Amino acid sequence: EAGVTQFPSHSVIEKGQTVTLRCDPISGHDNLYWYRRVMGKEIKFLLHFVKESKQDESGMPNNRFLAERTGGTYSTLKVQPAELEDSGVYFCASSLQQTTEAFFGQGTRLTVV
Amino acid sequence: AQSVTQPDIHITVSEGASLELRCNYSYGATPYLFWYVQSPGQGLQLLLKYFSGDTLVQGIKGFEAEFKRSQSSFNLRKPSVHWSDAAEYFCAVSPPGGGNKLTFGTGTQLKVEL
């Protein structure tokens, strides 16, 4: 069974550009989560989808971040325009139910220069 | 607001030595507690979790953790470390009742000397 897959694994963009990160959850997992780790700090929750609906987006830092999960399958996280402080590792996770184990992807390392 | 503290940013141990990674949490009630590991190039992998019951929980790869309510701690231990245990370890909590909205600590980077 394939795990959670994230694309790309690394991305380097200039300040002001747009970047889209993609997450493919484990097949059948209705719950999908985005987290972010800024360098040297803790991993922080961004948002939670149940199928295609945003259940909790309390961790989204500002309106430059847009998450979508059309059709309730894969999800994208767009940053537009990117700022230097957006650099970090973005993790995606999925779970079958909200209370069952969440499986994490390997993360996307985003560097804004 | 809830928080998780991992006081050790880096720890170095010799292969075969015992290991203890510290984790303290601040929460209004007893949360659910987790330890994750991230090996180089890999995603976060769940080592073990505590919900209720026996305060000593066993996990994968020979790890165990002990929940101490009086100290608000959930320290991770392994009796004998292997070189393949070199990785970053994260303690995390979620609200009582579960859910995957996790609050993580800053992580502890473990180096194993041969």
Side-chain angles (χ1 to χ4, degrees), chain A residues 33 35 37 40-45 56 58 91 95 97-106, chain B residues 36 38 41-46 49 51 88 90 97-107:
Chain A
Y33 310 84
Y35 286 83
R37 187 185 192 195
K41 300 206 171 177
E42 68 272 26
I43 301 168
K44 283 195 172 181
F45 169 85
D56 181 347
S58 60
F91 291 99
S95 66
Q97 299 173 13
Q98 293 188 41
T99 55
T100 56
E101 179 181 348
F103 294 87
F104 282 79
Q106 82 282 12
Chain B
Y36 284 86
Q38 186 180 23
Q42 305 295 314
L44 293 164
Q45 181 182 23
L46 180 65
K49 58 186 180 237
F51 292 168
E88 191 159 20
F90 296 91
N100 288 307
K101 184 178 180 179
L102 301 167
T103 299
F104 284 88
T106 49

Side-chain angles (χ1 to χ4, degrees), chain A:
Chain A
E1 178 183 293
V4 177
T5 310
Q6 294 186 243
F7 306 95
S9 55
H10 295 85
S11 180
V12 181
I13 62 170
E14 293 185 352
K15 176 181 171 181
Q17 288 186 321
T18 297
V19 64
T20 300
L21 313 181
R22 173 169 167 148
C23 170
D24 287 54
I26 293 173
S27 178
H29 280 196
D30 286 340
N31 294 273
L32 187 149
Y33 310 84
W34 284 99
Y35 286 83
R36 175 175 76 167
R37 187 185 192 195
V38 172
M39 176 97 55
K41 300 206 171 177
E42 68 272 26
I43 301 168
K44 283 195 172 181
F45 169 85
L46 295 180
L47 86 160
H48 169 207
F49 283 100
V50 178
K51 297 185 180 177
E52 67 274 10
S53 299
K54 291 175 186 174
Q55 178 86 353
D56 181 347
E57 53 184 328
S58 60
M60 295 288 266
N62 53 60
N63 60 10
R64 295 186 293 102
F65 289 75
L66 174 64
E68 295 181 319
R69 193 183 182 194
T70 307
T73 54
Y74 71 91
S75 174
T76 58
L77 180 64
K78 182 193 292 188
V79 185
Q80 179 184 29
E83 298 288 346
L84 297 178
E85 64 264 25
D86 300 331
S87 296
V89 180
Y90 290 76
F91 291 99
C92 176
S94 72
S95 66
L96 193 59
Q97 299 173 13
Q98 293 188 41
T99 55
T100 56
E101 179 181 348
F103 294 87
F104 282 79
Q106 82 282 12
T108 293
R109 181 174 295 277
L110 174 64
T111 303
V112 183
V113 298

Side-chain angles (χ1 to χ4, degrees), chain B residues 23-101:
Chain B
C23 173
N24 291 91
Y25 66 89
S26 174
Y27 211 89
T30 300
Y32 285 13
L33 298 153
F34 306 82
W35 274 99
Y36 284 86
V37 60
Q38 186 180 23
S39 300
Q42 305 295 314
L44 293 164
Q45 181 182 23
L46 180 65
L47 282 175
L48 47 78
K49 58 186 180 237
Y50 173 77
F51 292 168
S52 64
D54 192 345
T55 56
L56 184 63
V57 293
Q58 302 297 319
I60 61 172
K61 304 186 179 188
F63 285 92
E64 65 179 28
E66 185 172 13
F67 168 60
K68 292 186 178 179
R69 186 190 305 274
S70 61
Q71 298 176 20
S72 296
S73 69
F74 189 56
N75 293 350
L76 182 72
R77 301 194 294 245
K78 186 169 185 179
S80 177
V81 170
H82 189 263
W83 64 266
S84 60
D85 293 324
E88 191 159 20
Y89 292 80
F90 296 91
C91 182
V93 303
S94 73
N100 288 307
K101 184 178 180 179

